[in-house]
Amino acid sequence: MERQITCINCPVGCRLQVTIENGQVTRVEGHGCKRGETYAHQECIAPARMVTAAVPVADRNIPVSVKTRTPIPKEKIFACMKQLAVLSLKAPVYMGDVVLSDVCDTGVDVIATKTVE
Amino acid sequence: MKIIIIGGGVVGCAIARQLSRYEADITLLEGGVDVAEGASKANSAIVHAGFDAKPGTMKAKLNVDGAKMYPRLCQEVGAPYGQPGAMVLAFLPEERATIETLYQQGIENGVEELRIIERDEILQLEPNTNPNVQCALLVPTSGLTSPYELTYALADHAAVNGVTFIMNAFVSQVRKEDGRFVLETTKGEMQADLIVNCAGIGSGELHNQLSDRKVKLIPRKGEYYLLDHVQPLLFTRTMFQCPSKMGKGVLVSPTLHGNTILGPSAEDVEDASDVATTAQALAMVNERSRMTWPGLNLRNVITTFAGIRAHEENGDFIIGAVEGCPGAYETVGVESPGLSAAPAIAELLVGQIASENQLSEKMEWKPAPVRNKPFYAMTLEERVEAVKENADYGAIVCRCEQVTEAEIRAAIRRPVGATTIDGVKRRTRAGMGRCQGGFCSPRVLEILAEELGIDPTQVTKGGGNSQLLVSTIAQAMGKGDA
Amino acid sequence: MLSNELKQQVQYVDVLVIGAGPAGMAAAIAAREAGVENLLVLEREEHMGGILRQCIHNGFGLHRFKEELTGPEYAQRDIDKVQELGIEVRCGTTVLSVDEHRFVTAISKEKGVQLFEAGAVVLAMGCRERPRGALGTPGSRCAGVYSAGTAQKFVNLEGYMPGKRVVILGSGDIGLIMARRMTLQGAKVLACVEIMPYSGGLNRNIVQCLEDYDIPLLLSHTVVDIEGKDRLSGITIAEVDEKRNPIPGTEQHFDCDTLLLSVGLIPENELTQQAGVELSPATQGAVVDDNLQTSKEGIFACGNVLHVHDLVDFVSAESFRAGKAAAAYVQGKKRQGRFVEMKDGNGVRGVVPQRLMIPEGETEPVQVMFRPAAVYENATVVLTAGGKEIMRQRKRIFTPGEMAELTLKPEAIRQIESDTVTVDILA
């Protein structure tokens, strides 16, 4: 399988042609430097994103901002948002508090990035 | 006697104020969310001296009379007024004849201090004028106001003297039944003994429902540019160009708040509610403004807007009793110079109403409510005192125009108070500056919700379905009851 | 002239910092660490942190902290430091005026009008977004048109959605970030429209905010009409030619209730102008020397009020230098030397600093920043003084979306004999 992706390591934004066979990257073309090749492997085999969101807090008129502690598989972004949508957070929430552990069976916790007292 | 005034523009509110001197049960119905929502909020803000209208017309008489009433009226109700003067510029040799005609008309209409001046004097008085100018009519008595601020002040004064204001009450039908008027409105059916039709662009339709002598109003759209007050004022006067059959031509004028206004275009449109600006009209305004001001730079434009003028096909105001329909009075076809004429229209028409209906004057007519000086205009000492008295003066909500929380709350609590973001903006200038509400609108919205006791998602920009927020994030994420 | 009563209320402050965003906090921290005791920070919002408070996405701090933080987390590190150092910060306090003698007036609900005389002032007021009016886009003035940052504040700080079906005009980073935010929080983003043939945002944001969610990026397009009576009901876009004029016949219509504008940031320099400080037309911020001092002695500027940055890490670094320089100024550590002008050359816009001191004594390295005027691949930036090349540096790419930064070394500075240094990009 052939895929076209844009390298995000620097503003050049090389267009990479990636060949994937049996779940393995077998060929990368179009990269201007070594970092492009590494990125192609990672992005085509196991793309991951950190998810951030604003989540309502019961009885408070301001939401709390949260993030996944580390990136989670890209295809789980919306599933993660769904789990956050049904959370019932109560104040106080402190920066660093785990608001949701092991989101979507990724083993990654979602933590608060601000304090809502 | 139950009197209903239809329309809360500058004319309707001036009439409401004038009528509130008399013993009567007076209600003003406004179709929009606030007063001054139609032509009264979107025009050039000029108090014309009165040289433009044909001698002998209602326009000529009421313009000159109205303009002379302005300084005192604005002082009484607490509205801005200034008299920087104006010039009408002639660039082509054949325009000299137009200038001479305007001069003669002005003299006949009773405009004082008019003078025709030549190129050197023009450039001496207004050095940024296009040096190709040939001659000009100098009009020292030309004035400026803030049309919506005047309308709000008139409305407040009427309200403290007992006039009831009902917003969002659009009158679709009016008929006479058993000697009384029955009005179909978006707030239900209402009855009155006497009505005054001041419905602006809608006044023709109401007239035709009451009279066999039909009139036709043509919605004429005018588009404007407004420049920020960081642009130094390059003209101290209102600079007109020679008029054409479509209107007074494009003007370049200072406003009383130090902004520069350019416009209007003039285009007859089908839809009287069409106040969208267009690329073509704005390009025309830009191009024609350059004729007056070759150094024009649109870098400091903060907004563009359009207003609808109610042009009557015969070109004059129709003011008085509706023929063949006792108890009905009207102001129809009030386009420019309607703002200038408004005080005189009110005096003339209310005089007629009072004498024909034997209204008796009230024992006591209260003065207009006194409003504090705006924070931006206060001296340091005045600011020190203001914030000592009311801590809300210490919170600057609109940083561009230096509008405080105290003033925003006061605007909402006025007798005819603001209920929308735009209503707050026009009453206080919050959101009128270079960021156009980017910083302050969330806070203004919050204060409105708090003062009006409504949910933030119900707050509108300018009434109707113009909510700023569609839901909470909880609702949007599929949680909650939305 | 002040009345005698008011004169008695004037408080003397060694270093007064205006703004407690990342720039103001860094300047204050540096000033305190350099030994300034009598130090005060004025902040108009109710909280410290500035715009970072609403930037809840990740990607901050990679240069400074070597880890990837969200905006509130980055801000909190400085807030903690400010508190640890016991720096006085007055929130909810708006500065009303600054003059060239560093007389400052401010107001707050709690303390009313406050008057200060400052030994040094650090301007750190940040920037604001270009509004719709500045674009001259015709159409309705209905509700539903917001600058991207205003929408970001509604969603991230207040918990409200400004719309459901969204088009974004401008592909600056805030616009891209908001495309993803609105999508994640439950809205549908139909397109991101950019008038230039390239995006003003980082590649990373184009990939992770647009491509991840299949949001089309329409380059060389702009909005030509805005429709809707009360609330926005739709917009029309069109392709533009090289002069950025819409091409007739290329119109496309979108049904949407929201248009977010991400069309540029402008340094917030109203106070700066009041103080009579010279501004640069290229940056729209103050003209400064390599100490971040403006044309008025003792008034310093840093962060987005000086020139709009892409990375907060660089804002902090610049502001530390400004705070340190302000401290040195009030401590009487005067530099001796002569000034040379730094000039924008080919392909370069808004070199900062605009003035460079060639000191008599020891010379320190100087950070020079500028914005490339266009995209240049495999190009070289060259600094020339009186016909003599004093420095050159090659880069894979220069783009307007990324501020270029270079370090002018002492040996290069010592070579300058002329009155001007020109910065050029050579293809």
Side-chain angles (χ1 to χ4, degrees):
Chain A
M1 190 182 74
E2 294 279 325
R3 260 192 79 185
Q4 280 246 344
I5 62 169
T6 309
C7 178
I8 64 166
N9 280 299
C10 83
V12 177
C14 294
R15 297 295 293 179
L16 311 177
Q17 288 89 45
V18 189
T19 312
I20 304 155
E21 284 165 18
N22 304 324
Q24 295 288 314
V25 172
T26 53
R27 214 160 106 119
V28 181
E29 280 175 55
H31 54 290
C33 73
K34 188 82 188 142
R35 289 189 299 170
E37 205 176 335
T38 315
Y39 175 74
H41 279 86
Q42 184 189 68
E43 184 68 7
C44 291
I45 302 305
R49 301 286 185 268
M50 197 179 270
V51 178
T52 64
V55 179
V57 180
D59 302 326
R60 289 292 180 277
N61 51 13
I62 48 170
V64 65
S65 49
V66 302
K67 70 171 184 184
T68 54
R69 202 189 289 275
T70 56
I72 62 167
K74 189 179 141 186
E75 73 272 12
K76 296 202 169 172
I77 294 174
F78 280 102
C80 169
M81 287 306 296
K82 275 218 172 88
Q83 289 201 355
L84 290 174
V86 297
L87 272 186
S88 297
L89 292 181
K90 288 194 177 56
V93 182
Y94 296 101
M95 181 181 279
D97 280 2
V98 173
V99 298
L100 178 62
S101 57
D102 188 19
V103 62
C104 302
D105 305 317
T106 55
V108 176
D109 294 341
V110 178
I111 61 171
T113 57
K114 76 183 266 191
T115 295
V116 175
E117 288 188 308
Chain B
M1 171 173 287
K2 168 86 186 175
I3 301 177
I4 287 183
I5 300 164
I6 306 166
V10 67
V11 173
C13 291
I15 288 172
R17 170 180 176 271
Q18 191 68 9
L19 265 177
S20 73
R21 296 171 187 268
Y22 297 91
E23 297 290 353
D25 171 8
I26 308 165
T27 298
L28 184 147
L29 303 182
E30 165 55 47
V33 70
D34 199 348
V35 295
E37 281 286 300
S40 302
K41 79 170 179 211
N43 58 69
S44 312
I46 314 290
V47 180
H48 294 285
F51 56 82
D52 190 56
K54 293 277 165 297
T57 59
M58 287 289 251
K59 273 187 178 175
K61 177 179 165 30
L62 293 168
N63 178 350
V64 174
D65 292 352
K68 288 180 180 162
M69 293 164 74
Y70 253 87
R72 198 175 137 197
L73 175 68
C74 287
Q75 194 171 26
E76 276 178 11
V77 299
Y81 177 77
Q83 203 177 87
M87 282 189 202
V88 186
L89 304 172
F91 293 99
L92 304 169
E94 57 266 33
E95 287 178 339
R96 182 176 289 272
T98 311
I99 296 293
E100 279 163 5
T101 307
L102 293 175
Y103 175 78
Q104 286 305 332
Q105 271 183 194
I107 300 291
E108 268 187 69
N109 290 346
V111 181
E112 289 158 16
E113 300 176 53
L114 290 177
R115 206 151 61 79
I116 295 177
I117 58 174
E118 300 299 319
R119 183 177 176 276
D120 288 355
E121 191 174 353
I122 298 167
L123 294 177
Q124 192 196 335
L125 292 172
E126 296 289 352
N128 294 299
T129 311
N130 185 344
N132 294 332
V133 68
Q134 307 245 330
C135 65
L137 180 65
L138 180 69
V139 194
T141 58
S142 187
L144 294 175
T145 186
S146 162
Y148 42 84
E149 286 177 78
L150 172 61
T151 308
Y152 299 140
L154 293 167
D156 280 352
H157 195 189
V160 297
N161 284 294
V163 176
T164 305
F165 284 77
I166 304 177
M167 307 298 172
N168 297 310
F170 178 79
V171 178
S172 54
Q173 283 288 331
V174 52
R175 60 179 186 277
K176 209 163 178 187
E177 255 177 43
D178 308 327
R180 292 202 93 196
F181 292 95
V182 179
L183 289 78
E184 305 287 345
T185 87
T186 43
K187 283 266 169 99
E189 193 181 280
M190 299 187 199
Q191 296 200 2
D193 304 305
L194 191 152
I195 59 165
V196 190
N197 168 13
C198 311
I201 190 65
S203 61
E205 170 68 28
L206 295 178
H207 166 98
N208 290 343
Q209 291 175 13
L210 295 168
S211 171
D212 293 332
R213 272 179 74 172
K214 306 299 179 197
V215 297
K216 190 176 174 206
L217 293 187
I218 303 159
R220 183 167 284 178
K221 182 152 85 171
E223 304 187 21
Y224 294 88
Y225 278 105
L226 189 68
L227 311 192
D228 191 12
H229 47 66
V230 300
Q231 160 74 51
L233 284 180
L234 294 178
F235 296 93
T236 60
R237 293 170 182 78
T238 300
M239 306 300 279
F240 294 104
Q241 297 169 352
C242 277
S244 69
K245 67 177 196 303
M246 288 299 278
K248 289 190 179 63
V250 166
L251 61 84
V252 175
S253 179
T255 72
L256 287 177
H257 296 290
N259 302 80
T260 301
I261 188 169
L262 314 175
S265 58
E267 190 200 352
D268 292 346
V269 292
E270 297 271 306
D271 177 3
S273 66
D274 172 15
V275 286
T277 54
T278 61
Q280 295 86 333
L282 290 174
M284 189 283 284
V285 170
N286 178 9
E287 191 188 320
R288 298 233 11 212
S289 301
R290 272 173 213 282
M291 174 90 106
T292 298
W293 177 20
L296 167 62
N297 182 344
L298 290 181
R299 201 179 50 146
N300 287 318
V301 168
I302 47 174
T303 190
T304 59
F305 64 90
I308 291 287
R309 291 162 268 173
H311 178 65
E312 199 274 321
E313 55 181 351
N314 297 314
D316 204 2
F317 297 160
I318 303 172
I319 287 159
V322 180
E323 224 180 273
C325 187
Y329 296 85
E330 65 186 352
T331 64
V332 176
V334 184
E335 61 179 332
S336 178
L339 174 65
S340 319
I345 293 173
E347 198 175 76
L348 176 79
L349 190 63
V350 172
Q352 185 185 354
I353 293 170
S355 79
E356 289 181 6
N357 298 278
Q358 290 90 43
L359 297 183
S360 52
E361 275 196 59
K362 283 178 185 164
M363 296 289 282
E364 189 210 12
W365 190 58
K366 294 185 190 123
V370 178
R371 283 196 316 282
N372 290 344
K373 200 176 190 180
F375 182 82
Y376 70 80
M378 288 181 188
T379 64
L380 189 60
E381 284 78 7
E382 287 170 334
R383 288 173 175 182
V384 169
E385 290 313 309
V387 68
K388 264 185 202 157
E389 222 156 90
N390 178 356
D392 287 349
Y393 272 105
I396 308 289
V397 174
C398 167
R399 58 178 82 158
C400 303
E401 302 294 306
Q402 290 199 338
V403 183
T404 64
E405 185 179 332
E407 293 165 283
I408 291 168
R409 293 193 186 275
I412 302 168
R413 294 173 191 169
R414 278 171 72 156
V416 179
T419 55
T420 64
I421 299 275
D422 283 348
V424 168
K425 169 166 136 181
R426 293 192 198 105
R427 282 174 180 81
T428 64
R429 300 188 59 74
M432 280 217 181
R434 56 192 179 272
C435 90
Q436 288 284 290
F439 283 117
C440 66
S441 58
R443 180 64 186 140
V444 172
L445 188 150
E446 205 170 62
I447 297 172
L448 269 166
E450 202 179 295
E451 289 281 334
L452 301 175
I454 58 176
D455 190 78
T457 54
Q458 291 175 290
V459 175
T460 65
K461 177 177 184 285
N465 295 316
S466 66
Q467 286 83 3
L468 278 93
L469 304 173
V470 298
S471 70
T472 63
I473 53 169
Q475 289 162 343
M477 287 163 84
K479 188 182 176 183
D481 49 9
Chain C
M1 279 303 288
L2 288 185
S3 65
N4 281 334
E5 199 192 324
L6 287 181
K7 263 185 199 156
Q8 288 174 358
Q9 292 176 24
V10 178
Q11 181 189 345
Y12 178 80
V13 178
D14 274 334
V15 176
L16 183 78
V17 180
I18 305 176
M25 290 194 289
I29 291 166
R32 173 58 54 88
E33 286 179 339
V36 177
E37 283 303 316
N38 186 1
L39 171 66
L40 179 64
V41 184
L42 303 178
E43 166 57 46
R44 62 189 156 208
E45 297 291 327
E46 292 301 324
H47 305 271
M48 287 186 259
I51 206 68
L52 288 175
R53 297 181 60 239
Q54 68 186 55
C55 298
I56 66 169
H57 54 283
N58 55 302
F60 301 92
L62 280 167
H63 291 258
R64 184 173 164 203
F65 298 115
K66 312 293 171 214
E67 60 182 302
E68 196 169 333
L69 303 173
T70 64
E73 293 171 313
Y74 186 105
Q76 194 60 45
R77 300 216 173 174
D78 285 333
I79 295 170
D80 290 346
K81 188 78 186 168
V82 163
Q83 285 170 345
E84 182 194 315
L85 292 170
I87 297 169
E88 186 187 352
V89 181
R90 290 188 193 166
C91 286
T93 305
T94 305
V95 173
L96 300 172
S97 71
V98 179
D99 76 9
E100 60 177 320
H101 308 294
R102 303 184 296 280
F103 174 69
V104 175
T105 66
I107 197 165
S108 72
K109 279 192 182 188
E110 276 171 26
K111 292 186 186 283
V113 172
Q114 298 146 72
L115 312 174
F116 304 99
E117 209 179 282
V121 169
V122 181
L123 305 171
M125 294 88 75
C127 60
R128 65 185 161 85
E129 298 178 278
R130 266 179 87 205
R132 172 182 172 186
L135 305 177
T137 308
S140 157
R141 297 204 301 151
C142 51
V145 182
Y146 307 89
S147 56
T150 306
Q152 189 178 45
K153 183 172 185 184
F154 276 130
V155 177
N156 294 349
L157 289 184
E158 309 199 341
Y160 288 100
M161 291 293 279
K164 290 179 186 151
R165 284 175 68 83
V166 185
V167 172
I168 295 180
L169 175 61
S171 63
D173 286 313
I174 312 174
L176 301 176
I177 293 288
M178 280 311 290
R180 175 175 62 187
R181 175 60 51 224
M182 294 298 284
T183 306
L184 287 178
Q185 307 281 161
K188 172 78 186 159
V189 178
L190 305 169
C192 178
V193 179
E194 168 62 58
I195 195 166
M196 301 302 285
Y198 50 83
S199 162
L202 300 170
N203 277 319
R204 173 191 159 108
N205 286 334
I206 292 169
V207 170
Q208 298 193 351
C209 298
L210 298 183
E211 290 177 12
D212 275 4
Y213 303 96
D214 298 320
I215 299 167
L217 171 61
L218 301 167
L219 298 174
S220 299
H221 279 74
T222 193
V223 174
V224 292
D225 197 16
I226 295 174
E227 301 132 47
K229 200 167 152 29
D230 292 343
R231 174 87 194 192
L232 185 68
S233 59
I235 60 152
T236 304
I237 68 165
E239 201 174 331
V240 296
D241 60 23
E242 293 93 58
K243 287 181 181 157
R244 294 185 230 163
N245 291 316
I247 303 169
T250 62
E251 291 85 1
Q252 284 180 60
H253 186 267
F254 289 96
D255 287 327
C256 57
D257 65 5
T258 307
L259 176 66
L260 298 187
L261 305 177
S262 174
V263 290
L265 298 168
I266 304 169
E268 180 89 319
N269 271 306
E270 280 60 35
L271 291 173
T272 319
Q273 273 170 301
Q274 273 184 22
V277 164
E278 186 192 346
L279 294 186
S280 149
T283 59
Q284 295 187 262
V287 168
V288 292
D289 65 19
D290 51 304
N291 253 351
L292 286 320
Q293 182 167 241
T294 67
S295 62
K296 295 290 175 194
E297 213 183 285
I299 301 182
F300 298 79
C302 56
N304 284 345
V305 78
L306 178 59
H307 53 158
V308 176
H309 291 250
D310 317 312
L311 291 178
V312 67
D313 302 69
F314 292 164
V315 166
S316 300
E318 178 176 278
S319 306
F320 278 120
R321 290 189 282 121
K324 201 174 148 194
Y329 177 79
V330 295
Q331 289 158 350
K333 295 173 194 158
K334 286 256 160 67
R335 294 194 301 167
Q336 299 291 331
R338 68 181 181 96
F339 278 109
V340 298
E341 303 286 322
M342 301 276 287
K343 291 223 147 92
D344 293 354
N346 177 58
V348 169
R349 264 186 75 74
V351 168
V352 172
Q354 293 88 349
R355 300 168 76 213
L356 182 64
M357 180 178 263
I358 315 290
E360 283 168 3
E362 206 169 303
T363 310
E364 291 196 12
V366 169
Q367 296 298 314
V368 177
M369 289 184 165
F370 63 87
R371 213 164 266 283
V375 178
Y376 297 91
E377 286 191 47
N378 294 315
T380 307
V381 55
V382 178
L383 276 66
T384 324
K388 188 166 73 179
E389 182 179 314
I390 56 164
M391 182 184 167
R392 77 163 40 216
Q393 190 171 312
R394 195 170 169 77
K395 264 188 93 175
R396 270 298 311 273
I397 190 160
F398 289 97
T399 126
E402 197 189 33
M403 181 110 76
E405 200 202 21
L406 52 92
T407 304
L408 198 50
K409 297 205 174 92
E411 46 273 32
I413 296 172
R414 280 195 294 272
Q415 286 181 52
I416 302 170
E417 282 158 8
S418 62
D419 295 335
T420 60
V421 174
T422 309
V423 184
D424 294 281
I425 296 179
L426 304 178

